[in-house]
Amino acid sequence: MWSLLFRRFAAKANTVENWKKRRLTWAITAATAVCMLLYTGAAAASSLPRVMSLNLCGDVMLALLADRTQIASVSYNGLNPAFSPVADQLAGLPVNRGRAEEVVAAAPDLVLISAFTQPATKLALRQLGVRVIEMVDPSDFDAIAAQTQSIAHAIGQDARGDETVAQMRATLAAVDKPKQRPLAAILHPGGYTEGRGTLAHAVLLAAGYDNLAAREGITGYAPQRLETLVAAPVDLLLADVTIDGGAPSLSREMLNHPALLLRFATSRRAALPSRALTCSTPRAADAVTALASLRAQ
Amino acid sequence: MNIRLLSLLVCAAFFASLAIGPAPITLGQIVAGDPVARTIFLELRLPRALLGLIVGGGLGLAGAALQGWLRNPLVEPGLIGASSGASLGAVLALYSGLAITVPLALPIAGTLGAAAATGLLWSLAGQRASATTTVLAGVAIASLGGALTSLALNLAPSPLAALEIVFWLLGSLADRSMPQLTFALPFAVAGAVLLFTQARELDALSLGDETAASLGVDLGRVRIATVLGAALVVGPAVAITGAIGFVGLVVPHLLRTNDRQLPSRLLLPSMLGGAALLTFADIAVRLIPTPQELKLGTVTALIGAPFFLWLLRDVQRRLP
Amino acid sequence: MTLALTDATMRYGKRTVLDRVSFTLAPGSFTVLVGPNGAGKSSLLRALGGLAPLQGGSASLDGHDLSEMPARERAKAIGWLPQRGGVAWPIAVEQVVALGRHPYSGVDSDHAVEAALAACDVAHLAQRSFTALSGGEQSRVLLARALAGEPRFLLVDEPIADLDPAHQLDALALLRTRATDRVGVLAILHDLALASRVADRVVLLQAGRIVGDGEARAVLTHDALRDVFNVAAHIEDEPFFVLPWERRSPERR
């Protein structure tokens, strides 16, 4: 972009007829060139790419891996403590709402998007020639490790990436393997659960539980019939109670259904650590530790 | 289909509803005191079956009463916007948190919403309007109610609210609880009683407003009683189950035999018929193998909307 | 025992339909109300029946203001039959007539209903659906409905419009008989010939004012017919009847 401007400027300078104007134009061109050199020089000195995240999962990755000076901006969801595990860490950083114009204005070297980024935005970014990494939502820890390391590499933080992955593996290894796996059930607002092939399922298994949804043959994020939940020999009900900030809704009412309250006394109910599970990041290992400790009680 | 047969149908529907569900519980387990079976039966199956009767009966009764009052076979709580109004009231009370501090606010808000919508219909179309004008006004009010409900849900504090619009617009009896039922019940009973007291007046209204007035009918009192009665029966029910449409249209029409053309003769049969129909529809919803349980309003609309179109043609052919 | 309007004024918006009308209906007479379109005949009937509010004056039954009387008492005393009545549902004729017993809460109804059906010659149609009948048959059924209430005063608006000549004469004869039975009958008729033949008393209404009230031959004069109805009529003296013949314009005053 800069070279283009420089070339246009230089071409214009040559066509000016009046020699005084011509001298002035050359002076301005020279000054611009010097500024550009200084600027790129400065950037070259910092050498870490500037990164921008357009979604929550990208925000978490940046919080874990990037230097604060590298971060051009994060998405507004990243600063919402209701579902961002790194809200405190990211406080004070510029915020974006995931639009292509904001990318152009910030002019980062790399943008983190997800599969859920608006198709129009993705197209615009591609047309602008911006360098993009599209994150996926892996549902097992090996894939999480691989994605973490590849992002770390892209933002010039290989060492930190390896460190984070190693920490994650250590946390997972520290969980004791039980002789008998208690049966857990996940209940999201509206009566949804997480079956095979989801991160939550992987977390449950890693924490030493069996997943009721998997036992029923459910895959992915799917409805859970209340009757079946009550009838099954579930040892622990994990209710997702934090996602809506406690505001009233039908879904929240369902979590307090008398049938559930009768069946699951407080000792057999716990809050699902949903903040750690929202994104497929090494932070998910924290959820494993939290759930494993519940088992001990 | 006489009253005895209808009553039998209602009983059959009720017991079938108690027996059908995804969990394999048996009568033996319930009697023996198995805590899981009892919980499922008392807290999930029983309220669902009872609600089917109460909501269905209420919708059938309200439909018959409204048809008698407006002298129009095309009206019912859903089509005149009463159900949408009730949804709006309920949504405002629930998502604002008012219903948590004042539990009675929920059924009351539903009643007020239904009454406001019906009152608005009366002021727009009145009782002198043609059948189609009344239905048009009703559809307009129902659309407005639905739009405002959607708006309210989008503005609600809970991020989950906007996703729950399907429930409010289409209705469902799934996983409702006993406490919710006990809230709706007294309102439904009060409304039903109020509507039954208007039976003779509705008959006299068949002769037209002025003739009925000359026969001693207090038009204003009938209006208030019918609107309020229908609102009490429909409002709190919708506040718990969402808007379920077409029951109040289909049931009176099916039961309007030669013998039962007078509005007063149609009230009790419509109540029983509505209870049976809705409960059977709710059973169907549990038996049809869709990944997610079908919304009840989907089934009633699939039956009711084509029925309504056919009825509209029929009415237009008979009346000018 | 009288039904009366005293100085009654009725307005629809800016339009005055009844202008300080005073009128008394006593039992035992068959009174016919005539007048051109828009004269206020139906409004007078409504006012007399206590069915429309008055902006001035009052309507009273035996001296008691109608608007303060309990609706049921009023309904038992006054029977009202509108011009274009209808029935919303295809109910049986018997049930239509039975609706006329509404003020009596169904007490002693069978006899009254039977009698009314017989009087209007629709007993054979008792089980038929109302909407399946011809216009004339429907008119007779609706008249039977009004009679079934056994009122002391009958206010009927154009009861014979849809009837064939034979049934027209029957209906008028029926109303006359009622009148002699201590019932006060006020009927609005457009047919001046029939009105002049059957009425004991004729009330002529023009632009909300009564311009003639008395015996038929006294009210329906050549002048009256020309000034009020814009017609020249052939008038027979014995028996008295009036036959509108051709259009005339009113004499300028």
Side-chain angles (χ1 to χ4, degrees):
Chain A
M1 192 168 64
W2 283 112
S3 55
L4 198 69
L5 277 170
F6 178 73
R7 263 184 271 135
R8 281 196 66 213
F9 222 117
K12 188 168 198 247
N14 277 325
T15 61
V16 171
E17 311 219 8
N18 190 321
W19 72 274
K20 267 201 189 154
K21 269 201 184 158
R22 201 197 294 176
R23 201 171 58 177
L24 184 56
T25 316
W26 273 111
I28 293 172
T29 316
T32 318
V34 167
C35 287
M36 275 172 50
L37 277 170
L38 284 174
Y39 175 76
T40 39
S46 103
S47 88
L48 284 178
R50 284 177 74 244
V51 198
M52 181 167 167
S53 159
L54 298 186
N55 58 70
L56 177 62
C57 299
D59 299 340
V60 178
M61 281 304 202
L62 290 184
L64 290 177
L65 302 173
D67 288 342
R68 201 177 163 92
T69 49
Q70 267 183 293
I71 303 179
S73 87
V74 290
S75 82
Y76 71 103
N77 279 322
L79 278 97
N80 185 340
F83 22 86
S84 168
V86 296
D88 295 335
Q89 212 176 326
L90 297 176
L93 285 170
V95 164
N96 69 68
R97 298 190 89 83
R99 291 181 294 223
E101 320 163 357
E102 293 171 296
V103 175
V104 172
D109 298 304
L110 177 64
V111 179
L112 294 181
I113 65 174
S114 79
F116 298 111
T117 304
Q118 298 279 357
T121 312
K122 284 193 210 175
L123 185 63
L125 291 177
R126 210 180 321 140
Q127 286 180 333
L128 287 166
V130 178
R131 191 170 158 229
V132 152
I133 290 187
E134 185 167 328
M135 293 175 57
V136 295
D137 277 321
S139 56
D140 69 274
F141 287 101
D142 288 330
I144 290 179
Q147 179 165 257
T148 310
Q149 282 168 320
S150 83
I151 292 180
H153 178 73
I155 65 173
Q157 298 279 5
D158 298 73
R160 201 173 284 158
D162 293 335
E163 203 184 295
T164 312
V165 169
Q167 220 173 355
M168 180 186 85
R169 293 208 192 278
T171 313
L172 291 174
V175 171
D176 66 299
K177 296 291 173 274
K179 278 166 297 222
Q180 255 200 320
R181 295 171 150 267
L183 185 63
I186 295 178
L187 193 62
H188 282 295
Y192 285 88
T193 191
E194 309 233 26
R196 218 168 280 135
T198 63
L199 177 64
H201 175 73
V203 164
L204 274 183
L205 291 184
Y209 293 90
D210 265 340
N211 186 0
L212 174 69
R215 210 187 264 194
E216 290 176 357
I218 297 178
T219 51
Y221 183 80
Q224 167 74 274
R225 303 277 275 251
L226 215 54
E227 255 189 50
T228 329
L229 176 58
V230 170
V234 172
D235 298 305
L236 180 65
L237 174 66
L238 292 165
D240 184 1
V241 294
T242 57
I243 190 168
D244 56 358
S249 64
L250 292 174
S251 308
R252 177 150 277 272
E253 275 191 355
M254 176 198 277
L255 291 181
N256 292 322
H257 196 285
L260 286 181
L261 293 178
L262 278 172
R263 174 88 174 83
F264 295 101
T266 32
S267 59
R268 294 157 52 151
R269 263 171 93 103
L272 183 72
S274 49
R275 282 195 326 180
L277 289 172
T278 321
C279 286
S280 294
T281 68
R283 273 298 179 93
D286 297 343
V288 175
T289 321
L291 290 173
S293 66
L294 281 175
R295 231 194 322 120
Q297 294 156 15
Chain B
M1 187 168 294
N2 60 27
I3 298 286
R4 228 172 317 179
L5 201 53
L6 278 173
S7 307
L8 258 142
L9 213 57
V10 171
C11 289
F14 180 66
F15 286 114
S17 181
L18 285 176
I20 294 178
I25 58 173
T26 67
L27 193 57
Q29 285 173 307
I30 299 168
V31 167
D34 180 327
V36 169
R38 281 178 66 92
T39 303
I40 293 180
F41 181 76
L42 291 174
E43 304 296 337
L44 288 168
R45 297 268 178 100
L46 188 59
R48 184 163 186 163
L50 286 175
L51 266 178
L53 297 184
I54 294 171
V55 175
L59 289 173
L61 176 62
L66 287 169
Q67 287 176 9
W69 177 54
L70 290 172
R71 290 188 288 274
N72 185 339
L74 294 173
V75 301
E76 62 106 19
L79 284 172
I80 62 165
S83 298
S84 305
S87 288
L88 179 59
V91 161
L92 288 174
L94 178 67
Y95 293 87
S96 64
L98 183 61
I100 296 180
T101 39
V102 184
L104 270 182
L106 187 61
I108 291 176
T111 305
L112 289 176
T118 313
L120 184 59
L121 177 88
W122 182 82
S123 71
L124 278 180
Q127 285 162 285
R128 291 170 206 261
S130 72
T132 35
T133 307
T134 309
V135 170
L136 271 178
V139 166
I141 295 172
S143 305
L144 181 63
L148 288 174
T149 305
S150 174
L151 178 64
L153 287 170
N154 267 295
L155 295 175
S158 172
L160 305 168
L163 304 168
E164 292 172 0
I165 179 110
V166 177
F167 169 86
W168 292 106
L169 292 184
L170 287 178
S172 169
L173 288 179
D175 303 332
R176 303 289 89 199
S177 59
M178 274 310 241
Q180 290 172 322
L181 174 72
T182 47
F183 263 127
L185 188 57
F187 289 85
V189 169
V193 166
L194 197 52
L195 288 177
F196 275 110
T197 59
Q198 300 306 300
R200 288 191 69 241
E201 325 300 293
L202 292 178
D203 281 351
L205 278 177
S206 315
L207 296 172
D209 269 12
E210 280 196 305
T211 311
S214 78
L215 287 170
V217 172
D218 184 340
L219 293 178
R221 177 123 52 105
V222 174
R223 181 187 341 136
I224 292 176
T226 309
V227 170
L228 191 57
L232 283 169
V233 147
V234 167
V238 169
I240 292 170
T241 67
I244 298 172
F246 296 105
V247 174
L249 180 75
V250 171
V251 171
H253 191 83
L254 287 179
L255 296 174
R256 197 176 268 125
T257 58
N258 282 332
D259 219 12
R260 280 206 213 106
Q261 296 287 349
L262 274 174
S264 64
R265 304 253 177 115
L266 211 50
L267 293 182
L268 182 59
S270 295
M271 191 171 84
L272 294 174
L277 178 66
L278 195 67
T279 310
F280 278 126
D282 189 39
I283 291 171
V285 150
R286 277 175 274 180
L287 294 176
I288 297 174
T290 48
Q292 212 165 338
E293 201 177 79
L294 268 180
K295 287 281 175 287
L296 195 51
T298 309
V299 173
T300 59
L302 282 173
I303 300 171
F307 186 92
F308 171 63
L309 289 172
W310 171 80
L311 190 58
L312 183 64
R313 271 191 59 211
D314 193 49
V315 163
Q316 289 216 298
R317 240 182 305 131
R318 282 194 287 114
L319 304 172
Chain C
M1 196 166 50
T2 52
L3 184 59
L5 284 178
T6 315
D7 237 18
T9 303
M10 190 192 291
R11 281 189 213 100
Y12 285 143
K14 292 224 174 83
R15 208 160 59 90
T16 304
V17 289
L18 288 180
D19 191 1
R20 281 163 300 154
V21 169
S22 289
F23 169 79
T24 310
L25 184 65
S29 93
F30 182 29
T31 307
V32 173
L33 179 59
V34 297
N37 289 347
K41 304 190 293 298
S42 296
S43 303
L44 195 154
L45 214 66
R46 281 200 185 90
L48 208 52
L51 296 176
L54 293 170
Q55 277 71 42
S58 67
S60 55
L61 175 64
D62 291 345
H64 303 290
D65 195 324
L66 277 183
S67 57
E68 276 149 38
M69 195 181 276
R72 185 173 287 212
E73 293 307 309
R74 178 177 44 79
K76 283 185 188 171
I78 304 173
W80 187 77
L81 185 63
Q83 192 172 10
R84 272 179 235 98
V87 177
W89 312 102
I91 58 184
V93 162
E94 206 170 39
Q95 289 174 325
V96 175
V97 177
L99 286 176
R101 299 294 297 173
H102 185 268
Y104 296 90
S105 305
V107 172
D108 292 333
S109 287
D110 292 343
H111 174 75
V113 170
E114 268 175 32
L117 285 169
C120 294
D121 189 26
V122 286
H124 61 290
L125 300 171
Q127 306 305 322
R128 297 265 308 271
S129 162
F130 180 85
T131 46
L133 303 180
S134 71
E137 287 168 332
Q138 290 187 346
S139 285
R140 279 151 43 208
V141 169
L142 291 174
L143 180 57
R145 190 278 305 159
L147 294 175
E150 296 175 325
R152 283 187 292 143
F153 294 96
L154 254 181
L155 308 174
V156 291
D157 195 340
E158 275 298 332
I160 61 174
D162 287 330
L163 303 183
D164 62 51
H167 282 112
Q168 280 188 337
L169 296 171
D170 286 345
L172 290 174
L174 173 61
L175 290 173
R176 274 197 78 106
T177 325
R178 280 295 142 125
T180 57
D181 271 348
R182 287 172 298 126
V183 174
V185 178
L186 177 62
I188 295 175
L189 294 177
H190 271 128
D191 188 331
L192 291 178
L194 284 175
S196 56
R197 278 188 61 195
V198 301
D200 295 329
R201 172 186 171 204
V202 169
V203 175
L204 182 56
L205 196 66
Q206 183 186 30
R209 288 200 191 94
I210 294 182
V211 296
D213 183 353
E215 268 196 18
R217 63 180 78 227
V219 175
L220 298 173
T221 60
H222 281 292
D223 288 344
L225 292 166
R226 185 195 54 223
D227 292 336
V228 178
F229 289 101
N230 298 333
V231 292
H234 177 75
I235 299 187
E236 246 345 279
D237 259 339
E238 211 55 54
F240 177 79
F241 74 88
V242 156
L243 192 63
W245 203 244
E246 66 179 353
R247 198 173 237 287
R248 269 297 151 91
S249 31
E251 204 169 79
R252 292 178 203 277
R253 297 244 168 104

